[in-house]
Amino acid sequence: MSHMDATRTESLLRRVPIENLSRAVRPPVDERTLDAARRIVHRVRDHGEDAVRSLAEQFSERQTGEPLVLGTDEMAAALAAFPRETRELLERSAQRIGAFAQAQLEAIRPIDVPVPGGRAGHTVEPVSSAGCYAPAGRYPLPSSVLMTAVTARAAGCDRVVVASPGAHPLSVAAAAVAGADQFLAVGGAHAVAAMAYGIDGLAACDVIAGPGNRWVTAAKQIVSGVAGIDMLAGPSELLVIADDSADPAVVAADLLGQAEHDADAVPMLVTTSDNLATEVCSELARQVDSLSTNATAREALQNGFVCVVGTADQARAAADTIAAEHVEIMTRDADRFAHSLRNAGALFIGPASAEVIGDYGAGPNHTLPTGGTARFRAGLSVASFLRLRTWIRIEDVRGADELIGDTIRLAELEGLAAHAASAARRRKQ
């Protein structure tokens, strides 16, 4: 590698020592964006459709007089305008996503168990309405429309709304395939606020789900006390864990696949091989120039890093510290390594399991936690649109005597006399 190549490589992906990894993880949204997004959200909350229309025109999403909300007829027309090959592609992807979501739903069952004097359990109830966000910056992302709306339908939501900036025909067509009821033709923080608070012609949604940029993520955090949210799914991340068995050209291609998402994307490599790290950086320098998206990819690579560690155990520790959205495992013991990880939004196990396959509808959802939040959040699933509602039925008060007594004593310990009296009255029955 020439001196010039080495200089270019170093500028594409910096090296970070393992002890600095926790500082290399960016939060899903920064305070400045939160403050700006809060002003937009409150503007929509206070002024409704007028605010959304003004912002949509400001950001060139809608022209004066164009509808903000499309119905099923408009969505069906958008779908019909595409050639059969495109329609069938969307339908196949939706079928795979839906089949996986249905399998998830079948794994979440009601329960009914005995308790002293009766029974208790939970039911599985979908929320009534789902707001499904799909980005559309430089390009439309119909895959995100399918990932969110198909999953909401599988969960059993009565009403499904899709929001995406500009109402690109491909996104509108995907919404038709997913069975959406309405399409909100705006994006960003104002779209999230519109779904959370409602506007004329669009009732508020119970849950808002889907990936987005930092403005969308900030808005979801802001409205989370009004509507449920799936997670903070901000700028996309990929962590590749690799040893010297990995193909550096494949690793580089996968990192670039992540980097081209947008300028805020974060491609990362943790490896036990210093040689692999060098070869991957060299491949990045070679491959990036051939991409039509090379300007965005180059900028995103500045957010990423490579970390060389000494052992597989250190690689595991690094992965759990980063808690990345997507984690590809390209090691000799990929299955065992995968099962040892605690923190990851989604795993892609073995060199053939490209993250991009997950992006486009293998089945599992591609809406995943970012910014280290995989430590306590899982990816989008039917569970994101479900409530496990518990119930208790006491029929034999004598059989519940010990339970009632314990309730009285705990209430007295907490100084809650009415609680104790309420339980004691059951004994009198």
Side-chain angles (χ1 to χ4, degrees), residues 259-271:
E260 73 174 356
H261 265 293
D262 62 60
D264 289 328
V266 187
M268 299 167 278
L269 169 63
V270 170
T271 179

Side-chain angles (χ1 to χ4, degrees), residues 166-181:
H168 190 284
L170 196 52
S171 295
V172 179
V177 170
D181 297 292

Side-chain angles (χ1 to χ4, degrees), residues 116-117 396-410 427:
D396 178 4
V397 175
R398 290 181 180 176
D401 188 68
E402 182 181 57
L403 171 61
I404 293 170
D406 287 348
T407 300
I408 293 169
R409 285 185 285 275
L410 282 169
R427 279 180 164 170

Side-chain angles (χ1 to χ4, degrees), residues 87-213:
R87 297 196 303 268
E88 290 177 349
L89 169 63
L90 293 173
E91 289 163 359
R92 285 195 304 274
S93 297
Q95 191 279 327
R96 288 191 292 264
I97 296 165
F100 192 86
Q102 184 63 38
Q104 288 180 321
L105 182 63
E106 291 169 2
I108 305 172
R109 309 304 303 162
I111 62 171
D112 183 333
V113 298
V115 298
R119 303 193 69 80
H122 74 227
T123 58
V124 181
E125 308 289 345
V127 300
S128 294
S129 57
C132 301
Y133 190 89
R138 294 168 300 134
Y139 306 102
L141 297 181
S143 57
S144 290
V145 175
L146 298 176
M147 288 286 179
T148 52
V150 169
T151 304
R153 274 288 181 232
C157 297
D158 293 327
R159 184 171 67 98
V160 175
V161 176
V162 171
S164 189
H168 190 284
L170 196 52
S171 295
V172 179
V177 170
D181 297 292
Q182 292 177 294
F183 192 104
L184 177 62
V186 302
H190 48 301
V192 172
M195 291 190 288
Y197 294 104
I199 60 173
D200 290 347
L202 183 77
C205 297
D206 297 317
V207 169
I208 298 171
N213 62 17

Side-chain angles (χ1 to χ4, degrees), residues 115 119-121 390-394:
V115 298
R119 303 193 69 80
T390 60
W391 56 269
I392 299 171
R393 182 176 181 85
I394 303 298

